[in-house]
């Protein structure tokens, strides 16, 4: 497979660029090639444009998360207009596409986390450099041969020129070695684990508009390594610094388990903006916070966005700033999850409908936009997904895999109640069937959790009674009692910010954890 085939396919289908994907990529590569210092010089300018914290996370990672369209515009500056003309797109559409493509492209161009002195041969061939060189040599030979008696010198002369040119090229590359030494790369963001359900979190293609035949982009992209340049066929990069952290194994998706979607809840109240959510890495979190500041101004919003390396890249990130700007109104809430955008809040229904229509017009078919589901609908959907996921686990599955599925399911108790809700019975029965297959000696903690409202001591007691109720239900379904331990945490270990209604809903949960 050619170097850029996968990226072109993603730009054509997931981003919706169709036949304009390859021209866009060629235009970007020519822009990079034209920079003084090549790729290293280009990345230095990107860092200087305010993306210094993001670049190290792209190097060597063709799966790096997408950035925002404003960040893409900052990275390319005025050059984005030339790229747009060459690709036949509007500048706005080009910025959205580059928000998806740039991190991935940098990752493809920086294998082994090292920035090369020259674009790789595959990139030159993609740009037509190899064909152009051959054509030039053929033209030169033909022209010389036609020049009277000098024709007999044509082929030797061309050969000599090509040899001299090759020697000059090699020595020129060597000459850069003293000024561009490879160094240990900065710590990279943890890689998002692959998921067999990864396509569920990508954007569907948006239909072409009257002025362009491209849609906007989705998640992830490539990256890792320093902006230092490795000389051609010379020294190799130093190994990553000892402080580079590997993604924690405990948080990555087990094989066969869908990656949880990245999510962002935004509430606009009279007292300001509140957010909660989960994204795969710190770079994505920074991009989300930057989009929030650009859309709403002021300082940081209330709440927090947590990092879970197991989360799938957010399909909504490249369009986030525009989505927020279009939905900016007190009383309107947004929930972005996977490839969906849900609109809710306490604004009048007619106003929410207006926002939904505006967002649909903005994204075309790239994201699904609709009213926000109620908590009951979310609980039912979560239960169905968890039962299906349990059924896909192999017969010799592990306690960790079963716990990972159950930990993401929503078991939502009625207010002040410790009675297992009827809607959770099917899920717990399916869980018991898999837990019974685990070897003797397996120990799993069932934890009860609440949001931060109310008295902390009472919340802890209530959460423990709920955990005990779930354990009792599993034991009734045949799980050995010695395998399960109940514990109440109250509000001590929130999974999301309690500043939003969605965050508080996510915090009222039952967790499952394998004990040593």
């Amino acid at each position: 497979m050619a170097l850029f085939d996968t990226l072109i396919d993603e730009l054509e289908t997931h981003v919706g660029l169709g036949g304009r994907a390859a021209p866009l990529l060629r235009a970007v590569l020519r822009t990079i090639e034209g920079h003084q210092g090549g790729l290293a010089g280009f990345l230095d300018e990107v860092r200087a444009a305010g993306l210094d914290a993001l670049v190290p996370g792209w190097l060597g990672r063709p799966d790096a998360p997408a950035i925002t369209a404003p960040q893409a515009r900052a990275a390319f500056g005025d050059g984005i207009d030339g790229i747009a003309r060459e690709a036949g797109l509007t500048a706005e559409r080009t910025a959205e596409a580059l928000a998806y493509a740039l991190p991935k492209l940098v990752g493809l161009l920086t294998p082994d986390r090292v920035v090369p002195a020259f674009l790789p041969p595959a990139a030159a061939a993609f740009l037509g450099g190899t064909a152009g060189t051959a054509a030039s040599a053929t033209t030169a030979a033909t022209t010389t041969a036609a020049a009277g008696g000098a024709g007999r010198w044509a082929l030797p002369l061309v050969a000599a020129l090509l040899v001299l040119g090759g020697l000059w090229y090699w020595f020129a590359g060597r000459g850069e070695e003293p000024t561009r030494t490879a160094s240990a790369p900065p710590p990279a963001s943890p890689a998002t684990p692959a998921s067999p359900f990864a396509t569920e979190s990508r954007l569907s293609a948006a239909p072409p508009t009257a002025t362009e035949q491209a849609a906007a982009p989705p998640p992830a992209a490539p990256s890792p390594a320093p902006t230092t340049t490795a000389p051609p066929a010379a020294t190799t990069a130093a190994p990553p610094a000892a402080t580079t952290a590997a993604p924690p194994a405990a948080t990555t998706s087990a094989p066969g388990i869908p990656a949880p979607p990245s999510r962002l809840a935004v509430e606009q109240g009279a007292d300001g903006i509140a957010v909660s959510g989960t994204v795969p890495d710190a770079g994505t979190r920074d991009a989300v916070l930057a989009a929030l500041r650009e859309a709403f101004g002021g300082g940081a919003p209330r709440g927090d966005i947590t990092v879970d390396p197991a989360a799938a890249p957010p399909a909504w990130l490249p369009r986030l700033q525009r989505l927020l700007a279009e939905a900016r109104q007190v009383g309107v809430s947004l929930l972005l999850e996977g490839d969906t955008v849900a609109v809710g809040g306490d604004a009048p229904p007619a106003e929410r409908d207006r926002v939904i229509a505006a967002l649909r017009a903005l994204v075309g078919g790239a994201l699904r936009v609709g009213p926000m589901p109620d908590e009951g609908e979310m609980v039912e959907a979560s239960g169905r997904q968890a039962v299906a996921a349990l059924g896909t686990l192999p017969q010799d599955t592990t306690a960790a895999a079963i716990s990972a599925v159950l930990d993401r399911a929503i078991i939502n108790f009625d207010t002040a109640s410790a009675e297992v809700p009827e809607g959770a019975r099917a899920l717990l029965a399916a869980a018991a069937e898999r837990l019974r297959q685990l070897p003797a000696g397996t120990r799993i903690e069932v934890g009860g959790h609440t949001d931060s409202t109310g008295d902390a001591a009472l919340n802890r007691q209530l959460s423990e009674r709920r955990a005990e109720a779930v354990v009792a239900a599993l034991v009734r379904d045949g799980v050995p009692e010695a395998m399960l331990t109940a514990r109440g945490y109250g509000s001590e270990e929130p999974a999301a910010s309690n500043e939003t209604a969605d965050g508080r809903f996510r915090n009222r949960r039952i967790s499952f954890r394998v004990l040593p």
Side-chain angles (χ1 to χ4, degrees):
M1 178 181 289
L3 179 63
F4 303 116
D5 282 358
T6 299
L7 180 54
I8 291 174
D9 178 67
E10 291 172 351
L11 289 170
E12 287 177 346
T13 56
H14 301 310
V15 180
L17 294 188
R20 299 183 187 270
L24 174 75
L25 205 55
R26 286 192 179 93
V28 174
L29 286 169
R30 275 190 275 270
T31 298
I32 292 173
E33 189 179 41
H35 270 74
Q36 183 176 2
L39 179 59
F42 170 75
L43 291 178
D44 286 341
E45 290 190 11
V46 173
R47 287 178 178 275
L51 280 68
D52 184 67
L54 299 180
V55 171
W58 301 346
L59 302 175
R61 279 189 58 198
D63 64 339
I67 57 177
T68 64
Q71 288 173 326
R73 284 193 290 270
F76 286 92
D78 294 338
I80 205 166
D81 294 326
I83 295 173
R85 285 192 298 270
E86 187 171 342
L89 302 169
T90 65
E92 182 177 52
R93 183 68 78 195
T94 299
E96 291 179 344
L98 291 178
Y100 177 72
L102 176 60
K104 282 181 164 54
L105 179 60
V106 173
L108 289 170
L109 296 175
T110 54
D112 302 320
R113 302 166 56 92
V114 177
V115 180
F118 307 103
L119 292 181
F126 178 68
L127 287 174
T130 302
T133 302
S136 299
T138 301
T139 302
T142 303
T143 303
T144 307
R152 65 182 180 274
W153 300 103
L155 292 178
L157 179 59
V158 170
L161 289 174
L162 289 176
V163 171
L164 290 173
L167 289 173
W168 175 85
Y169 186 87
W170 188 81
F171 280 112
R174 296 282 296 178
E176 290 187 357
E177 185 172 348
T179 58
R180 294 187 183 278
T181 55
S183 62
S189 301
T192 301
S195 165
F197 298 84
T199 55
E200 294 181 1
S201 66
R202 294 189 179 277
L203 301 183
S204 56
T209 66
T211 58
E212 57 200 33
Q213 295 177 343
S223 49
T227 54
T228 55
T229 304
T235 56
T236 57
T243 56
T244 301
T251 59
T252 57
S253 294
I257 300 176
S262 289
R263 57 187 290 113
L264 174 66
V266 181
E267 293 183 1
Q268 304 176 80
D271 56 347
I273 308 300
V275 300
S276 63
T278 303
V279 294
D281 53 54
T284 302
R285 178 175 60 188
D286 292 343
V288 170
L289 293 174
L292 288 164
R293 285 193 296 268
E294 185 166 346
F296 298 113
R302 303 192 316 277
D304 189 25
I305 299 171
T306 61
V307 170
D308 178 3
W316 37 262
L317 180 60
R319 290 182 173 84
L320 178 58
Q321 195 274 327
R322 294 173 62 199
L323 288 166
L324 294 173
E326 195 68 45
R328 182 172 178 175
Q329 178 171 326
V330 172
V332 171
S333 297
L334 293 180
L335 176 61
L336 301 95
E337 183 173 19
D339 64 351
T340 64
V341 180
V343 179
D346 55 11
E351 195 55 39
R352 296 199 301 268
D353 291 342
R354 181 197 67 77
V355 172
I356 289 173
L359 296 185
R360 284 175 175 165
L362 174 64
V363 303
L367 297 171
R368 294 178 293 161
V369 181
M372 191 173 298
D374 61 32
E375 291 183 358
E377 293 172 324
M378 289 191 281
V379 169
E380 287 183 17
S382 169
R384 289 194 301 269
Q385 292 166 4
V387 170
L390 287 169
T392 64
L393 295 177
Q395 287 299 314
D396 59 348
T397 190
T398 64
I402 297 173
S403 296
V405 172
L406 296 176
D407 203 41
R408 293 179 194 160
I410 301 173
I411 301 176
N412 200 258
F413 289 79
D414 290 338
T415 301
S417 171
E419 182 178 350
V420 174
E422 188 63 34
R425 300 289 182 182
L427 169 60
L428 293 177
E433 182 179 353
R434 301 316 303 262
L435 291 171
R436 291 196 302 267
Q437 300 169 8
L438 295 176
T442 302
R443 298 175 62 241
I444 296 175
E445 178 192 273
V446 179
H449 304 264
T450 69
D451 60 33
S452 60
T453 58
D455 181 78
L458 292 178
N459 281 342
R460 192 176 302 108
Q461 295 171 14
L462 178 61
S463 65
E464 183 156 0
R465 289 195 289 120
R466 288 173 173 174
E468 290 170 345
V470 171
V471 167
L474 292 170
V475 170
R476 282 195 299 271
D477 285 332
V479 180
E481 187 173 0
M483 180 182 291
L484 305 173
T485 299
R487 180 175 177 181
Y489 289 91
S491 59
E492 294 173 1
E493 296 187 359
S497 168
N498 282 293
E499 291 291 342
T500 67
D502 181 75
R504 292 188 291 274
F505 171 66
R506 298 285 158 179
N507 287 334
R508 298 191 294 271
R509 72 194 194 280
I510 296 294
S511 64
F512 293 80
R513 182 168 65 94
V514 179
L515 297 174

